[in-house]
Amino acid sequence: MRQARALPLSRRGLLAAGGAVGLGALVTACGDNGGSGSGGDDGGSWSFTDDRKTKISLDSRPQHIVAYIGAAAALYDFGIDKQITGVFGPTTLKNGKPDVQAGDFPVGQATSLGNTWGQFNVEKYASLNPDLLITNMYDPGALFYVPDDSKKKILQLAPSAAITTGRISMLEPIKRYAALAEALGADLKAKKVTDAKARFEKAAETLRKTVKSHKIKVMACSASADLFYVSNPKISADLIYFSELGVDFVVPEKTDKGGYFESLSWENADKYDADVLFLDNRTATLQPSALTAKPTWSKLAAVKAGQITPWSSEPRFSYAGAAPLVESLTKAIQDAKKVG
């Protein structure tokens, strides 16, 4: 949802929903090699149990994977590359450059089935001969960016794996994507992966220490032409994790249906005080330069102080994807002063 167009900022718009699905499902193995959940390259069978508690069983390790772009980016960070032959979701910008949701994934090597919400070319999907479809799951049983009107046809073409990415701490989907990547053949002991994990853990510890000495109130928020959204830090996976590290977030008093955020008219955008605005930075949301005409925006103490920091409200669930987000928030808190 990073396309620059007027989209209603519902749960999909703000990326604040979640699915309280148990994450106890384990990678299981069968076939000849019996170890990491993959039959390996020797032709052995392959299985994986996803976060719907659905066991996917195949004759061999998937070689033609189609994934939501955020899932593809996370898997790529863990070492899965050429197996991902198709992607869907916000992959490229209008100028052809990779969308931020693509992370480091080489978007040119995979076929795009649709770049915006509701787009999913079923015929093109079928032509890829998919072995497995992978996506996030913010609502229980809801496959993110898989359109409801074509979901039945899509799911008939290949098994699907869903990883829960809402209402749980960000660490959990990171671990689950690591497990899935390992099952698909990734080496989690590769230097690229271990370095990223070390950076993430260091960043987390720095944030934990920072918030103890910097008593700063942060408001996670998103802006549209008509409404200002204050996100609930008890729903989004990244905000839950940051809260666990000690970040002091504004908690909206009266959330919309689902509890993900409180939508405020611009006349009431100053309802809550905050020292730092953690502002949704996706393309379809309004950024500070587009908000100067909003009188209430300009009056916010954090705006006056220039204490606005980008919020990647749909994080990439890998250590490589999450580490810079932790570091960015830490710096914003370190540099901020009390104004709210």
Side-chain angles (χ1 to χ4, degrees), residues 24-292:
L26 299 175
V27 178
T28 58
C30 59
D32 298 332
N33 76 328
S36 66
S38 167
D41 297 324
D42 58 2
S45 57
W46 182 91
S47 69
F48 181 83
T49 301
D50 78 350
D51 291 344
R52 298 167 297 180
K53 302 289 181 71
T54 298
K55 183 176 181 179
I56 303 113
S57 298
L58 300 171
D59 292 338
S60 61
R61 178 185 294 163
Q63 295 300 317
H64 301 278
I65 296 169
V66 173
Y68 170 64
I69 186 60
L75 290 170
Y76 182 81
D77 288 340
F78 285 116
I80 300 301
D81 187 357
K82 300 297 185 182
Q83 292 159 263
I84 303 173
T85 56
V87 294
F88 55 96
T91 303
T92 55
L93 303 175
K94 287 185 176 181
N95 60 10
K97 292 183 179 180
D99 189 282
V100 68
Q101 298 303 126
D104 296 324
F105 181 77
V107 297
Q109 78 174 30
T111 299
S112 173
L113 306 180
N115 207 58
T116 61
W117 183 264
Q119 289 184 349
F120 193 111
N121 190 315
V122 181
E123 290 74 21
K124 193 179 288 187
Y125 177 56
S127 74
L128 295 175
N129 297 313
D131 298 319
L132 181 66
L133 181 146
I134 301 171
T135 191
N136 294 339
M137 186 168 62
Y138 290 91
D139 293 304
L143 302 183
F144 196 52
Y145 263 81
V146 176
D148 288 337
D149 57 359
S150 54
K151 179 179 177 180
K152 185 175 180 180
K153 291 181 180 179
I154 293 168
L155 297 184
Q156 287 175 340
L157 294 170
S160 61
I163 301 297
T164 296
T165 50
R167 295 187 186 273
I168 52 173
S169 174
M170 183 169 63
L171 279 178
E172 296 305 319
I174 289 176
K175 291 176 182 177
R176 290 293 285 150
Y177 267 112
L180 177 53
E182 186 174 39
L184 292 169
D187 178 10
L188 299 187
K189 295 181 181 179
K191 188 175 187 300
K192 169 186 173 182
V193 179
T194 57
D195 283 356
K197 185 176 182 181
R199 177 183 173 184
F200 172 79
E201 291 174 343
K202 179 180 178 181
E205 187 57 31
T206 301
L207 178 56
R208 189 192 303 275
K209 291 178 180 177
T210 296
V211 296
K212 288 181 178 179
S213 57
H214 295 70
K215 304 301 182 181
I216 297 296
K217 176 75 77 172
V218 179
M219 181 159 63
C221 52
S222 188
S224 72
D226 299 321
L227 294 170
F228 183 63
Y229 300 85
V230 178
S231 289
N232 185 353
K234 299 179 181 179
I235 298 292
S236 296
D238 57 339
L239 302 185
I240 291 174
Y241 181 62
F242 297 149
S243 296
E244 290 172 349
L245 293 176
V247 176
D248 183 15
F249 283 107
V250 169
V251 179
E253 297 171 356
K254 189 178 181 181
T255 56
D256 297 4
K257 184 178 180 181
Y260 311 129
F261 52 82
E262 180 176 359
S263 56
L264 301 171
S265 65
W266 277 107
E267 291 78 8
N268 297 310
D270 58 352
K271 179 176 179 179
Y272 301 105
D273 293 326
D275 303 306
V276 170
L277 297 187
F278 201 27
L279 185 67
D280 191 342
N281 70 346
R282 289 169 301 162
T283 306
T285 63
L286 297 184
Q287 300 308 303
S289 61
L291 293 169
T292 55

Side-chain angles (χ1 to χ4, degrees), residues 3-28:
Q3 311 316 305
R5 50 176 53 83
L7 295 177
L9 285 179
S10 60
R11 147 71 204 101
R12 67 175 174 83
L14 279 177
L15 237 299
V21 177
L23 287 172
L26 299 175
V27 178
T28 58

